[in-house]
Amino acid sequence: MGAVYGSMLAASVIVGAGVPGGPYPRVELSVLLLCTGLVFWAAHVYAHLFGISLTNGHLTWREFRTVCKDERPIVEAALPPSAAVALGPLFGLDVKGTVWLALGVALCGQIGWTVAGSVRMGAPPRLVAVSALVSLVLGAVIVAAKAALSH
């Protein structure tokens, strides 16, 4: 479920960054999304590896690789919103419109990964729907924050 977390993280970064004011706002936002994903991936990897080493007293190379791979969706979830930032001008969007597009892509990812994960885990349809609804509500909170903070 790292992709759900990563998508929500990306949406939060977009809200927090607003419309970057530097000379290359799209590049700045893309770099911020990717760097934040990488930093949070590293933090999750570190936390898991620390827990393994405390429990087992040692850490194997295989465990290290497995944890790195298992946490990879946190970083991967930043890729679609970052791509939306890069593609915004192709749709004729200004920077502000591009930011909203990236936020929409991040939230669609959040909901999509929630549904995909629930289905993959064998959740009954009702639980899949509830999970999607919870993800949608959390996304709506992020959108409301963005709307409230936009100038």
Side-chain angles (χ1 to χ4, degrees):
M1 294 320 256
V4 174
Y5 176 81
S7 295
M8 190 177 296
L9 175 65
S12 299
V13 166
I14 294 164
V15 168
V19 178
Y24 303 103
R26 288 179 180 88
V27 172
E28 291 173 22
L29 183 55
S30 288
V31 169
L32 183 60
L33 282 164
L34 297 173
C35 286
T36 302
L38 283 169
V39 167
F40 274 75
W41 168 81
H44 279 250
V45 167
Y46 173 73
H48 281 111
L49 295 176
F50 188 72
I52 291 169
S53 66
L54 284 177
T55 302
N56 297 343
H58 68 284
L59 182 67
T60 67
W61 182 246
R62 183 175 187 218
E63 289 169 325
F64 176 81
R65 285 191 328 261
T66 299
V67 170
C68 287
K69 180 182 159 214
D70 289 349
E71 295 300 324
R72 190 181 69 220
I74 293 172
V75 176
E76 291 173 344
L79 296 176
S82 185
V85 170
L87 296 174
L90 296 177
F91 299 117
L93 298 174
D94 62 1
V95 175
K96 191 173 184 177
T98 298
V99 168
W100 278 103
L101 173 65
L103 179 58
V105 167
L107 295 176
C108 285
Q110 175 185 325
I111 295 165
W113 285 116
T114 298
V115 170
S118 299
V119 168
R120 188 172 357 146
M121 296 300 293
R126 185 174 182 174
L127 185 55
V128 172
V130 168
S131 297
L133 181 62
V134 169
S135 193
L136 180 64
V137 168
L138 292 172
V141 169
I142 293 170
V143 168
K146 175 67 178 156
L149 296 173
S150 290
H151 301 274

